[in-house]
Amino acid sequence: MKRVSPFEHDYPAAPDETSVAQVERAQLCDLFEQVGPHAPTLCRGWETHHLAAHLVVREGTPLGILKSMARGSGDADVERLAGERDFASLVDEIRGGPPRLSLFGTGLTDKAFNGLEFLVHHEDVRRAQAGFDLRDLPAWARDEVWSALSLALPGLMRKAPVGVALRRSDTGELKVASKKPKAVVVAGLPAELALFAFGRGSVADVSLDGNPADVKTLASAHFGF
């Protein structure tokens, strides 16, 4: 029998007990089921089956989170699991939430560490499909994404070749991401800034302001986990 998701599929207009991680998890699983196991993603040539396997590995093994943060180090585990498990069972497991004994197994840790993960991977599938549209998250969700992004920036932007500051286009708030010289200001809504910081700048709806040479250098850089 298929597990029923305990998570909301739509963002409430006002904040309640719902987190960004919960909504993005449910919506990503819905999209997985809609597009199937062989749809393209923005992740290193992975199809949706590989991305689902990655999420299960990340949440289900003690080393999963560490491997997921090091580019390429968890690929063998992902390939193995994708070969062993059918797509539907992986999606079903993701939909049910993180394992209870996982690092992410409490509401607090799920909210703190999974909001950006599932937001970015949801967009990895959405924006790899033709005709995707930009989403408008409610203000409380934007704030939650911004807070999580602010904590993650030192790791995400550690390889930025120039100084970087992120500016929220809805509130004007500014966060320094990299203190190197020749700063470039990247402006956009929090979800778009998250995509940029995770190395998805080619699909992120952001603007870059600074010396043209520095902007070009940053736009062509590779960073993120």
Side-chain angles (χ1 to χ4, degrees):
M1 179 181 296
K2 188 171 183 176
R3 296 157 69 182
V4 177
S5 172
F7 307 120
E8 296 292 334
H9 289 240
D10 296 309
Y11 279 103
D16 56 14
E17 296 302 314
T18 304
S19 69
V20 169
Q22 292 172 343
V23 177
E24 295 296 325
R25 180 189 295 271
Q27 291 188 357
L28 174 56
C29 287
D30 289 347
L31 184 56
F32 274 151
E33 293 178 344
Q34 176 185 334
V35 301
H38 301 300
T41 78
L42 301 180
C43 297
R44 296 175 280 178
W46 283 352
E47 295 181 337
T48 41
H49 197 160
H50 300 100
L51 180 53
H54 158 74
L55 291 170
V56 170
V57 168
R58 174 181 174 275
E59 289 193 318
T61 65
L63 294 178
I65 179 61
L66 296 177
K67 289 183 176 181
S68 71
M69 294 172 66
R71 187 179 298 271
S73 67
D75 287 359
D77 293 336
V78 169
E79 292 288 347
R80 174 188 53 77
L81 189 62
E84 293 174 353
R85 296 271 302 275
D86 67 274
F87 181 65
S89 72
L90 293 171
V91 174
D92 189 33
E93 184 168 336
I94 297 165
R95 190 184 288 281
R100 189 167 298 177
L101 298 180
S102 166
L103 170 65
F104 313 101
T106 70
L108 182 61
T109 55
D110 183 43
K111 178 178 179 178
F113 299 113
N114 272 341
L116 294 178
E117 179 79 9
F118 279 89
L119 171 70
V120 170
H121 284 321
H122 185 190
E123 294 297 338
D124 280 335
V125 181
R126 292 184 74 253
R127 299 190 187 204
Q129 317 307 313
F132 77 87
D133 57 343
L134 298 176
R135 295 186 292 158
D136 184 17
L137 304 186
W140 70 264
R142 287 186 232 135
D143 290 343
E144 190 174 309
V145 171
W146 179 251
S147 295
L149 181 59
S150 297
L151 293 175
L153 279 177
L156 289 168
M157 304 299 294
R158 68 193 185 281
K159 294 183 180 179
V162 297
V164 182
L166 303 185
R167 186 188 300 279
R168 286 184 63 166
S169 58
D170 55 341
T171 67
E173 292 177 76
L174 188 72
K175 180 71 176 180
V176 174
S178 172
K179 295 182 179 180
K180 296 175 183 176
K182 303 179 181 180
V184 174
V185 177
V186 184
L189 292 173
E192 303 301 320
L193 294 172
L195 288 171
F196 180 86
F198 273 82
R200 277 71 167 178
S202 63
V203 298
D205 184 27
V206 297
S207 63
L208 279 64
D209 182 40
N211 180 281
D214 300 332
V215 168
K216 184 178 180 179
T217 297
L218 182 63
S220 61
H222 298 283
F223 43 83
F225 292 130

